């Protein structure tokens, strides 16, 4: 006899905290050295240029979820552009989630094997973080969101403490002269930041599970504003401490900054970075593994996403190994290719969906061609809050 499975629901705050953890740890591990290498002492200007785009990304993802309630991005892509083209969009988004998760797994392993335990095989770290993430994903989104909220409440005070402890070592004269090499490097650095902020798209897989979606758009834009502020210290700190040239040559500049600084009797502040990045990497990889498996369930109309967690996790470990022969190759990809790739997947394609959806809504409001397929899709999406999509048995059967 089957059992009825009710959908998991989380709060807006829990959903947005998932985004904060995810984007922050990716920025620290992978993007900050790339941005500093690109923009140098003008990295703070890159933050300012990228800020309006970040706010629009929050607006865009939340607006699509508001217009298509109870549907994931995999589902409303088909509602907006049709079944076949929408399926291509959905597959592109799912590959984007898979690839970003693999980059995070690789970054986590490279950090530990490069900076902490160089004799440990990197596969050990890959397997450990993916197994932990898989366990959390199988427990459900609510467990994942609650765990991340607990971690983030620990991570933010530690991050603030680390910034305060390193403040005395910072020399803001290192940011002069401004735009010495022209605006080009600064603009390239801003493209990397916009590509990083575009990973907020993953919440398109989470927002349908939000308990109360009122004011979701304002909350999303506010979250992106918080992320902009949270990156001010990590992006500018290494340049203020080490200078533009040395800061650009470090693989993990924020870790190096904490490791080199001693405050009175306090030594080995690098343990703060290890703690933060370990918790953050777990949250990021868990979120993306959930988004990927839940998206596959929705796309192929499977009974339960949990059966996909183990094989998807195994593929994630294998793909992380195959991304590049060395971490230098990963950095080159993030610097030269990812800005275009990330903007296409996380910004251009969702913006195109938003534009088409807006046109269809305007036509519908003016009495234009009936949007029957969209209305039917919304009706079908009414039960989209059930994570595993198991139909409810009629009473008495």
């Amino acid at each position: 006899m089957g059992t009825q499975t009710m959908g998991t629901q989380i709060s807006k705050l829990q959903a947005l905290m998932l985004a904060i953890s995810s984007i922050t740890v990716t920025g620290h591990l992978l993007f900050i050295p790339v941005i500093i290498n690109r923009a140098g002492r003008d990295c703070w200007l890159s933050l300012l240029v990228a800020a309006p785009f970040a706010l629009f990304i929050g607006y865009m993802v939340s607006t699509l979820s508001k217009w298509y309630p109870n549907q994931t991005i995999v589902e409303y892509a088909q509602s907006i552009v049709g079944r076949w083209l929408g399926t291509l969009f959905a597959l592109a988004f799912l590959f984007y989630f898979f690839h970003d998760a693999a980059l995070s797994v690789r970054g986590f392993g490279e950090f530990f094997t490069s900076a902490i335990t160089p004799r440990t095989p990197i596969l050990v770290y890959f397997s450990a973080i993916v197994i932990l993430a898989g366990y959390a994903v199988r427990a459900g989104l609510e467990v994942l969101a609650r765990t991340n909220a607990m971690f983030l409440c620990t991570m933010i005070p530690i991050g603030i403490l680390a910034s305060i402890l390193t403040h005395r070592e910072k020399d803001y004269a290192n940011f002069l002269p401004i735009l010495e090499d022209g605006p080009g490097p600064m603009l390239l650095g801003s493209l990397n930041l916009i590509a990083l902020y575009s990973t907020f798209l993953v919440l398109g897989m989470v927002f349908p599970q939000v308990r109360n979606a009122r004011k979701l758009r304002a909350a999303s834009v506010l979250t992106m504003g918080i992320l902009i502020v949270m990156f001010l210290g990590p992006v500018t700190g290494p340049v203020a401490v080490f200078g533009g040239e040395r800061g650009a040559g470090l693989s993990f500049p924020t870790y190096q900054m904490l490791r080199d600084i001693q405050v009175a009797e306090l030594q080995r502040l690098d343990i703060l970075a290890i703690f933060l990045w370990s918790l953050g990497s777990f949250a990021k990889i868990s979120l993306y593994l959930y988004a990927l498996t839940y998206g596959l369930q929705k796309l192929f109309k499977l009974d339960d996403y949990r059966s996909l967690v183990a094989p998807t996790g195994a593929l994630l470990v294998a793909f992380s190994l195959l991304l590049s022969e060395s971490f230098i190759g990963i950095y080159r990809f993030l610097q030269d290719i990812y800005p275009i790739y990330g903007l296409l997947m996380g910004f251009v394609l969702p913006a195109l969906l938003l534009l088409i959806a807006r046109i269809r809504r305007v036509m519908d409001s003016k009495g234009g061609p009936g949007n029957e397929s969209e209305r039917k899709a919304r009706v079908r999406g009414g039960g989209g809050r059930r994570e595993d999509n198991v139909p409810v048995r009629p009473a008495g059967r």
Side-chain angles (χ1 to χ4, degrees), residues 97-153:
F97 299 152
F98 178 77
H99 188 256
D100 248 46
L103 283 172
S104 296
V105 173
R106 183 63 179 263
F108 175 79
E110 290 285 357
F111 168 67
F112 272 90
T113 54
S114 300
I116 313 249
T117 57
R119 295 185 178 182
T120 303
I122 197 170
L123 187 60
V124 172
Y125 290 107
F126 288 178
S127 303
I129 195 68
V130 171
I131 289 172
L132 289 173
Y135 180 80
V137 171
R138 286 186 61 87
L141 179 61
E142 184 176 5
V143 173
L144 174 58
R146 288 178 181 271
T147 304
N148 174 74
M150 179 180 66
F151 286 167
L152 192 61
C153 289

Side-chain angles (χ1 to χ4, degrees), residues 40-44 171-178 235-237 239-240:
R41 62 173 64 95
D42 296 318
C43 56
W44 64 278
D171 181 6
Y172 292 98
N174 288 333
F175 293 101
L176 299 175
I178 298 173
V235 170
T236 60
V239 176

Side-chain angles (χ1 to χ4, degrees), residues 68-242:
Y68 296 88
N70 305 323
Q71 292 191 48
T72 65
I73 189 172
V74 167
E75 295 168 296
Y76 63 65
Q78 298 178 65
S79 300
I80 294 171
V81 296
R83 179 182 176 185
W84 297 109
L85 186 57
T87 299
L88 293 179
F89 271 74
L91 289 172
F93 292 140
L94 291 177
F95 176 77
Y96 177 52
F97 299 152
F98 178 77
H99 188 256
D100 248 46
L103 283 172
S104 296
V105 173
R106 183 63 179 263
F108 175 79
E110 290 285 357
F111 168 67
F112 272 90
T113 54
S114 300
I116 313 249
T117 57
R119 295 185 178 182
T120 303
I122 197 170
L123 187 60
V124 172
Y125 290 107
F126 288 178
S127 303
I129 195 68
V130 171
I131 289 172
L132 289 173
Y135 180 80
V137 171
R138 286 186 61 87
L141 179 61
E142 184 176 5
V143 173
L144 174 58
R146 288 178 181 271
T147 304
N148 174 74
M150 179 180 66
F151 286 167
L152 192 61
C153 289
T154 305
M155 291 160 60
I156 290 177
I158 291 176
I160 294 173
L161 175 63
S163 180
I164 293 172
L165 292 176
T166 58
H167 180 72
R168 293 180 59 185
E169 304 294 329
K170 294 178 181 178
D171 181 6
Y172 292 98
N174 288 333
F175 293 101
L176 299 175
I178 298 173
L179 295 177
E180 181 182 22
D181 300 319
M186 178 271 295
L187 292 175
L188 290 174
S190 67
L191 288 179
N192 284 100
L193 273 167
I194 297 168
L196 170 63
Y197 292 139
S198 296
T199 59
F200 187 82
L201 181 68
V202 73
L203 286 199
M205 297 300 303
V206 175
F207 281 155
Q209 312 296 335
V210 170
R211 227 177 353 253
N212 180 6
R214 290 183 58 193
K215 298 183 179 179
L216 182 63
R217 187 156 47 194
S220 297
V221 174
L222 176 61
T223 299
M224 298 307 290
I226 292 171
L227 280 166
I228 293 167
V229 174
M230 288 179 68
F231 272 101
L232 278 172
V235 170
T236 60
V239 176
V241 173
F242 300 119

Side-chain angles (χ1 to χ4, degrees), residues 20 33-34 60 63 97 116 121-122 139 165 187 253 274 290 297 299 317 332 341 345 348 359-360 371:
I20 291 174
V34 173
M60 172 175 63
T63 297
F97 299 152
I116 313 249
I122 197 170
L165 292 176
L187 292 175
I274 296 169
Y290 168 81
Q297 179 210 335
L299 182 61
V317 171
R332 287 176 179 169
Y341 163 75
M345 294 295 209
V348 175
I359 292 172
R360 295 182 67 171
N371 200 356

Side-chain angles (χ1 to χ4, degrees), residues 249-263:
L250 299 173
S251 298
F252 304 102
T254 49
Y255 171 77
Q256 187 73 34
M257 183 174 63
L258 289 171
R259 190 178 69 174
D260 289 355
I261 289 175
Q262 298 181 7
V263 181

Side-chain angles (χ1 to χ4, degrees), residues 195-363:
L196 170 63
Y197 292 139
S198 296
T199 59
F200 187 82
L201 181 68
V202 73
L203 286 199
M205 297 300 303
V206 175
F207 281 155
Q209 312 296 335
V210 170
R211 227 177 353 253
N212 180 6
R214 290 183 58 193
K215 298 183 179 179
L216 182 63
R217 187 156 47 194
S220 297
V221 174
L222 176 61
T223 299
M224 298 307 290
I226 292 171
L227 280 166
I228 293 167
V229 174
M230 288 179 68
F231 272 101
L232 278 172
V235 170
T236 60
V239 176
V241 173
F242 300 119
E245 292 185 4
R246 188 185 172 197
L250 299 173
S251 298
F252 304 102
T254 49
Y255 171 77
Q256 187 73 34
M257 183 174 63
L258 289 171
R259 190 178 69 174
D260 289 355
I261 289 175
Q262 298 181 7
V263 181
E265 298 299 325
L266 293 177
Q267 300 182 12
R268 296 303 305 267
L269 296 181
D270 53 323
I271 192 65
L272 297 178
I274 296 169
F275 184 69
L276 287 173
W277 294 349
S278 297
L279 296 182
S281 295
F282 165 77
K284 162 73 181 281
I285 295 164
S286 299
L287 172 62
Y288 274 71
L289 185 57
Y290 168 81
L292 180 58
T293 53
Y294 189 43
L296 288 171
Q297 179 210 335
K298 289 295 185 181
L299 182 61
F300 296 107
K301 297 178 173 56
L302 305 176
D303 290 334
D304 191 0
Y305 75 90
R306 292 173 179 85
S307 61
L308 301 172
V309 172
T312 305
L315 287 174
L316 200 56
V317 171
F319 191 67
S320 300
L321 284 170
L322 297 174
L323 279 174
S324 177
E325 293 183 359
S326 67
F327 204 35
I328 295 176
I330 299 293
Y331 272 131
R332 287 176 179 169
F333 171 79
L334 291 172
Q335 181 173 283
D336 300 329
I337 299 174
Y338 192 87
I340 299 172
Y341 163 75
L343 285 172
L344 174 63
M345 294 295 209
F347 189 88
V348 175
L349 293 184
L352 184 59
L353 290 179
L354 181 69
L355 177 62
I356 296 172
R358 180 61 180 169
I359 292 172
R360 295 182 67 171
R361 286 170 65 87
V362 170
M363 293 176 63

